[in-house]
Every structure is written in C-alpha cells, then in structure tokens.
Amino acid sequence: MKVLKVTGIIILVLIVLIASAGLYVKTALPNTGPAPEMKIERTPQRLHRGEYLANSVAVCMDCHSTRDWAVFAGPLKPGNFGGGGEAFDKKQGFPGNFYAPNITPAGIGEWSDGEVFRAVTTGVSKDGRALFPVMGYHRFGQMDEEDVKSIIAYIRSLPTVDNKVPVSEADFPVNFIINTMPHKANFKPMPDSSNAVAYGGYLVNVAGCVDCHSKTDKGAIIPGTEFGGGMEFAQPGGIIRSPNITFDKTGLSGWTAESFANRFKAYADSSYQPVHLKQGDLNSPMPWTMYGKMQDSDLRAIYAYLNTLKPIENKVVRETKL
C-alpha cells in the first residue's frame, strides 16, 4: 500500500509539473519583448529596394497573394496582391491549417510599424500570438535591419485589398510548441556584393532556399538534409519533391554559373509564355517568375555560395504521380 501511495504521489506531482509547464508555455510565451517604437520613413530608396526584395528575393508577395495553380509555377493571380489567404494545411503535410495574412491596409492597417517589424523579425503578431515558421521570421531576423525596413516601407505602400483570411490553427502538440519558436532578432549587416560568397549567403537566407530544398518533418527541417532536396509537396495529382541544390553529382555539380542564372532568367524573358497545365499534371511550387526577376549578379552570387556547401548525395525522385 505504501508503494502504491508513493507512486500515486509521484504521478500527481508529474501531472502538476506538466500542467504548470503547459500553462507557462501557453500564457507566458512567446516573449520576444515589446514591439519597438519606430516610424519607418518611405523614402524612394527604401521603396525601390523593398519592392525588389519583396517580389524577387524574399518573395513575400508569393505567399501573401493568390497563385494560379492551373499555370506552371503558380504565377500570381490579379486582384489579390498582398491580400493573403494562401493555405499551408494538413493536405500539404503541415501540423495544422495555416494561412498567410492580408498585409495590405485592410489586414495590417491598424498595426504600428514596430508591430509589423516585430512580427517579421521575431514571429510575434500584434496580439502576441506566435506565428508558425512557414513565415520566415527566423531568416528575416538575420537580415540587415535596413533591408527589413525597406520591405516594410514597400508593404505599407500596397493598395488595400478587402480579403478576409481564416484564422490559422495548429494541431496538438504544435499548438503548444509553436509558442516556444519565436525568438529575438539577430540582425547582420549585408555583406559587400564584391564578396560573392558572403553576399550570396546573405541572399540565400533572405530567399529561404533551405526551407524548401531540404527534407522536412511536420514543417521542420530534418538536420543534416539542408539544401539536399527532397521536401515533398502533396498535390491532387501526386507528390512533387524539391531538387538537391548542393554540388553533388545528384545535384548541381554539372551546372555553371551561367546555366544556373539562365535557368531563372528564362522565366523573366519577355518571350516567355505561361504554360497551362492539364488536369492531373503536377506543378512546381517554385515561384520561377518571381525569382526570375532577380538581378543576374545576385543569382551568380547565390550560385557561388551554394558551391561552397558540403555536397549531399541525394538522388531525388522528383515526381510520384497517382
């Protein structure tokens, strides 16, 4: 009886500890500090730089708009630029249903610049909720602070789009874990573009190449698979997987800087004609028409950086059709 009594006490203590930890995570986290007091001036330089980053490098507008999946690479549909609603849901393997918010004045018009800055760089929304890291705050918090301000200046210039977006919901236990994910920013100065490898690494972080070109489990990158490809994108017609972009024989070892840059620029050429898919065809989630507008020198810098990464042998089966 004494043994049973002691065991019962231990179980009770464990239950109390677990409940206390859960309560702490749910009520005290996330905690990245208050939103900074700031007013971001919309200078011509910031608007120009922000437009380039938001549309061609960080491709913020890719997720915060509506893509036309009936066309190869899902170019943006007209009429919902910045209006949000793009889904990252259970059908795609995510631990819940997450939706890109409306970032036009109809969505964040009542947010201060500091609140937008905190959300973009630490993952905490205006109301203190944690953002699921399909939003790249873990990357944007490592950018040059001035580049982040340029993106925000540009976003603040977007015309209003009235589009009500569903509330994102995480499944258990991610609805608890998500509160531990936001963290304070660790800004880093943008390297000089003359240092192609360092500058390329900066751009790779901004563009989020690793987020898709790695294997993932419930939305999190599996350590050791970074840039080796294999992330699965479930579609009605089957599964498409991201390619290996390390310089292994199963990746980019046969590519030159010119062929790498041209692969992107082909989709920005004025002669490019959108390819309409047939029912059941698999589509590339890669927003080629947006990344294709990157400057040639930036694409070559990305190539230079990727060429320094440890090669990963991973022959990716790109498509599995139903």
Side-chain angles (χ1 to χ4, degrees):
M1 291 297 292
K2 288 183 178 179
V3 171
L4 290 174
K5 186 175 181 181
V6 170
T7 301
I9 292 172
I10 292 173
I11 292 173
L12 180 62
V13 169
L14 287 174
I15 291 173
V16 171
L17 289 174
I18 292 171
S20 298
L23 182 64
Y24 172 79
V25 169
K26 268 296 189 184
T27 60
L29 298 179
N31 181 16
T32 62
E37 294 288 336
M38 64 169 62
K39 181 66 178 175
I40 299 173
E41 185 180 359
R42 301 182 202 173
T43 64
Q45 293 81 7
R46 277 181 174 158
L47 289 171
H48 178 74
R49 176 68 174 171
E51 181 178 15
Y52 174 65
L53 292 172
N55 287 286
S56 304
V57 187
V59 292
C60 314
M61 308 315 298
D62 167 50
C63 290
H64 293 280
S65 305
T66 301
R67 297 175 68 176
D68 185 356
W69 292 110
V71 180
F72 177 75
L76 303 188
K77 284 183 176 181
N80 190 39
F81 192 66
E86 186 78 1
F88 303 87
D89 55 23
K90 297 177 187 179
K91 296 176 183 176
Q92 303 171 59
F94 287 93
N97 295 314
F98 306 96
Y99 304 92
N102 186 333
I103 56 172
T104 73
I108 59 172
E110 296 183 0
W111 292 41
S112 70
D113 285 351
E115 288 167 340
V116 177
F117 186 85
R118 182 179 66 171
V120 170
T121 61
T122 75
V124 179
S125 71
K126 175 182 173 66
D127 60 6
R129 289 182 301 107
L131 303 176
F132 188 70
V134 69
M135 159 66 177
Y137 58 82
H138 50 291
R139 296 185 284 103
F140 302 144
Q142 298 183 62
M143 289 174 62
D144 190 304
E145 190 171 344
E146 179 57 30
D147 267 353
V148 177
K149 289 180 178 178
S150 293
I151 290 175
I152 294 173
Y154 169 70
I155 288 172
R156 289 298 210 188
S157 74
L158 296 176
T160 295
V161 176
D162 291 319
N163 182 39
K164 189 171 180 59
V165 177
V167 176
S168 296
E169 292 184 351
D171 292 338
F172 178 84
V174 176
N175 59 335
F176 281 85
I177 297 171
I178 192 174
N179 283 12
T180 68
M181 294 177 177
H183 53 78
K184 292 184 178 180
N186 180 25
F187 299 111
K188 298 173 183 176
M190 181 175 64
D192 192 284
S193 59
S194 62
N195 185 339
V197 171
Y199 182 57
Y202 178 81
L203 293 172
V204 163
N205 173 68
V206 177
C209 308
V210 72
D211 290 351
C212 290
H213 291 276
S214 309
K215 292 180 180 179
T216 60
D217 179 32
K218 294 182 174 59
I221 293 173
I222 298 173
T225 71
E226 291 88 347
F227 300 100
M231 181 176 178
E232 296 188 345
F233 298 86
Q235 299 179 11
I239 295 173
I240 191 164
R241 300 174 183 84
S242 61
N244 183 346
I245 57 172
T246 69
F247 278 73
D248 180 74
K249 63 181 182 296
T250 58
L252 298 179
S253 65
W255 292 58
T256 64
E258 184 176 13
S259 61
F260 180 83
N262 288 343
R263 178 72 171 88
F264 288 82
K265 302 307 288 184
Y267 297 98
D269 190 283
S270 59
S271 64
Y272 173 68
Q273 294 295 320
V275 178
H276 292 265
L277 305 178
K278 300 187 297 294
Q279 187 173 3
D281 284 348
L282 295 180
N283 203 345
S284 171
M286 176 83 161
W288 286 107
T289 54
M290 300 187 77
Y291 285 135
K293 293 182 175 63
M294 258 196 275
Q295 298 169 4
D296 186 78
S297 57
D298 284 359
L299 289 167
R300 289 172 181 266
I302 288 173
Y303 172 92
Y305 173 76
L306 293 176
N307 205 3
T308 67
L309 298 176
K310 178 183 177 181
I312 294 176
E313 184 175 355
N314 182 34
K315 187 173 179 58
V316 177
V317 177
R318 293 299 309 285
E319 297 182 357
T320 300
K321 291 191 175 182
L322 296 178

